[in-house]
């Protein structure tokens, strides 16, 4: 489709203030136009589609009823926020989603006052909204905290930690549970909508409040008993007893696509003194777009696609994705080793564990969005003699760092960490970049930390990790496709802490860790063309270091450059520490470390991100020439 959808009503709405000028009878049309606009935009950019389609009516209703941005609206994860962005002054940029210099695919404080809290990891919304609510309450200012959290995010303990501390916020806090996948709701229809309106109405809450005051005069015991009786009676009819036990007034379930149901309930909650309130809303991912509704994953994340047919633009083939190399290799290893099992935290296809699970369904565990539990679960398996692989994105493993330290490293348990999405990740931006895992793991005693330069190395490292029982071991690999190298049938068990030299030279040594190896080779070619003989070493291990190789190269070369796809504190820092301790830099050796810059990089094409980071071949060449004070680097050659 080349022409944009017709959106005459949406064209009149730039901010929620404009939305609130509409009549309630116009909101259905507005929602339909909003859905069409979002589908068209994501068709051009790619991104998260199904989740946003599922909250079109809910987004419209929240902004219509509540006084945003004074009322702080926090979207959990934030991947469902595209309709929200369209309604909050960013429609003119919605077709720049996830592009360099464009809108983030998640909520972002720097983008808009309507994004009060940035999010891209799950289960943070209730804590943040509670913070907003309590800050306003303590400062005697108007304004609520409104958290919209999906049922999947309720699998993380942080959501319950927040709910357990929410009582003081009173009616300042509203939590909207968007139930779109887990089928935790009873059937939704006219009766449940009526009950939801009734129990949130001022008449019901007024009678409830009056009865509570009378019961208080009868004594604490009588009052407490009647209050519990009312709570459980309501719970039997509407559900939600668990939330009531956590101190919330439960309303629902209601149809999240029926504005005639949504608007009255939200208005009742807005005007009530009761709180905190949890509103249970049932929605459908991909709602209103047949290809998404009929897809198994409801078009959760999509490439650019044809809006008419729903057909996504496919890649032209090429090397396999790293995550699939891992999953398929692990599945083959498990054919001969009954101790191997795999754990993922709600990312089976993203980590390749789905491939393992297909072959070994009884040994694959998806623990939900619960990385902390997943890591300690793996530790327990390891302590009992299993060989667990915890396959978790680098950015998500950060959420379980205490468990990595306390439950794995200190006890020296042989948990295998398969760390996906290492390095920069393109359109997902800084919230999903795997920038820190080398630093936060290589600093820990007992850990072995590897980084794969290509898909063959990843296969070797998977086998090496499976065979390593002396303590925790991690191997990292990037997002996307491999380099095209063949994966050997016979896998190699790597010697722990030993790198490999992939080309020999005499003047410059490039020590590469991970997937920058191809750029290091290109840089070596360019340096050789300038008459600078260059060694390239694939270090393989950030910990333990191949100290023998490092010392040999430092004693025989004039310049040593380390290159890695990680933040400061990784390979370069460890190499410099070793060199300093051994006095290897005392005689004038030039050492330079190349790593990710000390910033959070915004989304862009990965090649452009690495250009911005200064980690492509031309940057390696420039670093070497500058160290040598070579004319080609724009620095006068040093005179004797």
């Amino acid at each position: 489709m080349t022409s944009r959808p017709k959106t005459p009503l949406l064209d009149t709405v730039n901010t929620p203030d404009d939305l609130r000028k509409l009549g309630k009878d116009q909101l259905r049309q507005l929602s339909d136009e909003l859905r069409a606009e979002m589908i068209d935009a994501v068709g051009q950019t790619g991104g998260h589609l199904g989740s946003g389609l599922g909250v079109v009516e809910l987004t419209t209703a929240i902004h219509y009823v509540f006084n945003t941005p004074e009322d702080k609206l926090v979207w959990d994860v934030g991947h469902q926020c595209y309709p929200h962005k369209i309604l909050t002054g960013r429609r003119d940029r919605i077709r720049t989603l996830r592009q360099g210099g464009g809108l983030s695919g998640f909520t972002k404080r720097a983008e808009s006052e309507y994004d009060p809290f940035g999010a891209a990891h799950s289960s943070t919304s209730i804590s943040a909204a509670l913070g907003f609510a309590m800050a306003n309450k303590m400062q005697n200012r108007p304004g609520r905290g409104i958290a919209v959290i999906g049922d999947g995010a309720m699998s993380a303990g942080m959501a319950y930690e927040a709910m357990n501390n929410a009582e003081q916020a009173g009616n300042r806090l509203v939590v909207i549970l968007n139930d779109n996948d887990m089928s935790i709701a009873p059937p939704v229809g006219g009766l449940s909508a009526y009950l939801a309106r009734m129990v949130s109405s001022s008449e019901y809450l007024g009678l409830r409040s009056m009865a509570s005051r009378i019961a208080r005069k009868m004594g604490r015991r009588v009052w407490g008993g009647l209050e519990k009786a009312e709570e459980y009676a309501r719970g039997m009819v509407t559900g939600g007893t668990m939330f009531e036990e956590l101190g919330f007034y439960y309303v629902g379930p209601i149809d999240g696509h029926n504005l005639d149901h949504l608007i009255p309930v939200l208005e009742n909650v807005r005007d009530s003194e009761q709180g905190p309130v949890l509103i249970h809303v049932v929605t459908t991912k991909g709602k209103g777009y047949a290809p998404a509704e009929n897809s198994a994953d409801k078009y959760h994340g999509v490439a650019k696609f044809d809006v008419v047919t729903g057909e996504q633009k496919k890649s032209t083939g090429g090397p396999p994705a790293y995550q699939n190399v891992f999953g398929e290799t692990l599945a083959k290893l498990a054919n001969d080793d009954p101790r191997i099992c795999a754990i993922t935290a709600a990312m089976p296809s993203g980590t390749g564990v789905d491939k393992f699970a297909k072959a070994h369904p009884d040994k694959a565990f998806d623990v939900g969005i619960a990385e902390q539990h997943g890591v300690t679960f793996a530790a327990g398996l390891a302590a009992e003699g299993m060989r667990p692989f915890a396959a978790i994105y680098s950015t998500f493993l950060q959420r379980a760092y205490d468990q990595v330290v306390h439950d794995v490293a200190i006890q020296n348990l042989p948990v295998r960490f398969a760390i996906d999405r290492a390095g920069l990740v393109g359109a997902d931006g800084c919230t999903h970049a795997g920038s820190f895992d080398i630093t936060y793991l290589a600093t820990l005693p007992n850990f072995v930390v590897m980084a794969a330069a290509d898909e063959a190395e990843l296969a070797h490292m998977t086998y090496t990790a499976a065979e390593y029982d002396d303590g925790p071991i991690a191997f990292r690999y990037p997002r996307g496709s491999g380099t095209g190298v063949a994966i050997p049938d016979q896998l190699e068990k790597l010697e722990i802490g030993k790198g490999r030299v992939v080309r020999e030279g005499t003047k410059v040594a490039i020590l590469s860790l991970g997937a920058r190896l191809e750029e290091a080779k290109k840089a070596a070619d360019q340096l050789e063309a300038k008459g600078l003989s260059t060694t390239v070493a694939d270090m393989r291990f950030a910990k333990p270091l191949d100290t023998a190789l490092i010392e040999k190269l430092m004693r025989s070369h004039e310049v040593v450059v380390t290159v890695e796809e990680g933040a400061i504190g990784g390979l370069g820092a460890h190499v410099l520490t070793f060199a300093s301790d051994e006095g290897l830099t005392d005689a004038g050796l030039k050492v330079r470390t190349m790593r990710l810059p000390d910033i959070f990089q915004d989304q862009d094409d990965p090649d452009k991100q690495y250009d911005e980071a200064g980690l492509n071949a031309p940057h390696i060449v420039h670093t070497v020439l500058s160290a040598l004070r070579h004319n080609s680097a724009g620095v006068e050659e040093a005179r004797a």
Side-chain angles (χ1 to χ4, degrees):
M1 183 181 288
T2 55
S3 60
R4 295 186 181 181
K6 292 182 171 59
T7 55
L9 192 56
L10 182 61
D11 292 344
T12 69
V13 175
N14 187 52
T15 68
D17 285 337
D18 300 325
L19 172 64
R20 293 172 199 129
K21 296 174 184 175
L22 301 179
K24 292 179 184 178
D25 58 345
Q26 295 177 287
L27 297 184
R28 178 71 268 164
Q29 178 186 339
L30 181 90
S31 296
D32 292 341
E33 293 179 10
L34 180 58
R35 179 171 277 110
E37 174 73 352
M38 180 191 157
I39 294 169
D40 186 73
V42 180
Q44 295 180 37
T45 66
H48 292 99
L49 182 66
S51 49
L53 291 177
V55 297
V56 166
E57 288 82 8
L58 181 60
T59 304
T60 302
I62 291 171
H63 281 299
Y64 186 78
V65 171
F66 290 99
N67 187 31
T68 54
E70 182 178 77
D71 291 329
K72 306 299 183 184
L73 174 58
V74 183
W75 295 95
D76 208 279
V77 184
H79 64 317
Q80 75 281 57
C81 69
Y82 302 173
H84 161 79
K85 294 198 177 198
I86 292 170
L87 291 177
T88 54
R90 287 168 278 182
R91 184 186 180 190
D92 60 339
R93 292 183 288 152
I94 199 64
R95 287 167 179 79
T96 69
L97 272 169
R98 296 163 54 86
Q99 314 296 309
L103 294 177
S104 169
F106 305 96
T107 53
K108 189 173 183 179
R109 279 174 57 85
E111 253 184 38
S112 170
E113 63 178 336
Y114 290 95
D115 288 2
F117 201 77
H121 293 188
S122 86
S123 314
T124 63
S125 61
I126 303 177
S127 297
L130 176 59
F132 286 121
M134 290 304 299
N136 283 330
K137 182 177 181 180
M138 287 186 289
Q139 296 175 82
N140 199 28
R141 296 189 314 213
R144 291 176 175 81
I146 305 165
V148 182
I149 183 168
D151 48 24
M154 295 298 285
S155 64
M158 185 176 175
Y160 298 95
E161 293 170 17
M163 295 179 73
N164 192 48
N165 282 276
E167 189 172 2
Q168 279 184 284
N171 67 347
R172 297 277 193 153
L173 178 65
V174 177
V175 174
I176 299 173
L177 171 59
N178 177 29
D179 177 6
N180 65 12
D181 192 36
M182 293 172 65
S183 301
I184 63 177
V188 173
L191 178 59
S192 64
Y194 167 76
L195 290 170
R197 285 199 302 273
M198 182 192 76
V199 300
S200 64
S201 67
S202 58
E203 292 82 4
Y204 179 89
L205 291 172
L207 286 171
R208 185 175 186 268
S209 178
M210 182 176 70
S212 178
R213 288 195 300 272
I214 294 171
R216 283 173 190 263
K217 295 179 180 180
M218 297 179 183
R220 188 180 190 88
R221 192 170 174 182
V222 174
W223 164 48
L226 290 173
E227 188 175 51
K228 283 292 183 186
E230 188 268 348
E231 174 187 315
Y232 281 110
R234 230 173 351 101
M236 289 180 67
V237 175
T238 66
T241 301
M242 177 183 69
F243 301 114
E244 297 272 359
E245 287 295 303
L246 288 168
F248 279 76
Y249 185 80
Y250 174 88
V251 176
I254 56 174
D255 184 350
H257 301 294
N258 190 326
L259 288 161
D260 292 333
H261 295 177
L262 273 175
I263 297 293
V265 169
L266 291 179
E267 287 177 333
N268 285 343
V269 168
R270 177 197 63 193
D271 298 335
S272 169
E273 295 182 0
Q274 182 74 44
V277 175
L278 185 136
I279 306 172
H280 184 171
V281 174
V282 179
T283 63
T284 302
K285 279 182 82 171
K287 178 71 174 179
Y289 185 52
E293 288 194 45
N294 297 330
S295 168
D297 69 351
K298 306 294 183 184
Y299 276 41
H300 174 77
V302 296
K304 298 177 182 179
F305 63 92
D306 184 294
V307 172
V308 175
T309 66
E311 183 179 358
Q312 298 184 50
K313 291 188 169 63
K314 298 179 181 177
S315 65
T316 55
Y322 279 102
Q323 72 237 34
N324 294 336
V325 172
F326 162 69
E328 291 166 5
T329 301
L330 191 64
K332 290 176 183 176
L333 293 173
N335 290 336
D336 300 318
D337 189 341
R339 294 169 294 176
I340 290 175
C341 52
I343 299 156
T344 181
M347 289 288 174
S349 60
T351 57
V353 170
D354 60 335
K355 302 288 190 294
F356 178 88
K358 187 175 181 181
H360 304 280
D362 295 336
K363 295 181 181 179
F365 305 94
D366 184 349
V367 298
I369 304 174
E371 292 85 0
Q372 292 173 293
H373 159 62
V375 169
T376 304
F377 172 46
L381 288 166
E384 195 59 20
M386 296 297 288
R387 286 178 162 175
F389 282 74
I392 302 174
Y393 289 8
S394 170
T395 185
F396 296 149
L397 187 58
Q398 294 163 187
R399 295 159 62 95
Y401 190 60
D402 182 61
Q403 286 67 34
V404 172
V405 177
H406 182 270
D407 299 340
V408 177
I410 289 176
Q411 302 187 92
N412 199 33
L413 290 169
V415 175
R416 290 90 176 154
F417 291 93
I419 303 177
D420 205 326
R421 272 49 171 187
L424 302 176
V425 292
D428 281 335
C430 62
T431 57
H432 282 60
S435 305
F436 309 111
D437 57 271
I438 303 173
T439 302
Y440 69 64
L441 292 179
T443 192
L444 297 176
N446 296 330
F447 249 90
V448 173
V449 181
M450 302 181 284
D454 54 45
E455 55 268 50
E457 284 290 291
L458 174 56
H460 292 318
M461 288 179 181
T462 303
Y463 174 56
T464 301
E467 293 293 310
Y468 184 76
D469 292 316
D470 293 338
I473 187 168
F475 53 100
R476 72 190 312 255
Y477 45 97
R479 178 181 187 173
S481 299
T483 63
V485 302
I487 300 174
D489 293 330
Q490 188 66 40
L491 296 181
E492 177 187 354
K493 182 179 175 181
L494 303 180
E495 184 178 355
I496 299 299
K498 293 298 178 183
R500 59 175 178 147
V501 174
V502 297
R503 65 184 292 171
E504 296 271 7
T506 58
K507 191 176 184 70
V508 177
I510 303 173
L511 279 54
S512 175
L513 179 71
R516 288 293 93 191
L517 183 61
E518 289 303 310
E519 293 299 311
K521 291 178 182 178
K522 292 176 188 176
D525 290 337
Q526 295 173 32
L527 290 168
E528 292 280 357
K530 296 178 183 295
L532 299 172
S533 179
T534 303
T535 295
V536 178
D538 175 13
M539 297 307 296
R540 282 178 165 164
F541 293 84
K543 186 173 188 178
L545 289 175
D546 189 341
T547 54
L549 176 59
I550 294 168
E551 182 170 357
K552 177 183 176 182
L553 295 178
M554 286 187 167
R555 292 194 185 281
S556 59
H557 292 69
E558 190 174 334
V559 177
V560 173
V561 178
T562 66
V563 184
E564 61 190 305
E565 296 177 339
I568 190 170
L571 174 71
H574 287 263
V575 168
L576 278 174
T577 299
F578 168 73
S580 173
D581 290 348
E582 297 298 316
L584 296 172
T585 57
D586 294 353
L589 172 70
K590 301 174 178 66
V591 182
R592 301 291 184 271
T593 64
M594 299 183 67
R595 59 203 176 273
L596 294 178
D598 190 26
I599 60 172
F600 291 107
Q601 286 183 249
D602 286 332
Q603 74 273 1
D604 209 333
D605 176 84
D607 284 337
K608 292 180 180 177
Q609 285 188 314
Y610 281 112
D611 261 335
E612 181 187 356
L615 286 178
N616 284 333
H619 308 105
I620 300 173
V621 171
H622 180 83
T623 298
V624 171
L625 297 180
S626 296
L628 290 169
R629 300 180 64 80
H630 196 282
N631 285 336
S632 299
V635 181
E636 285 192 14
E637 194 165 1
R639 297 179 182 273

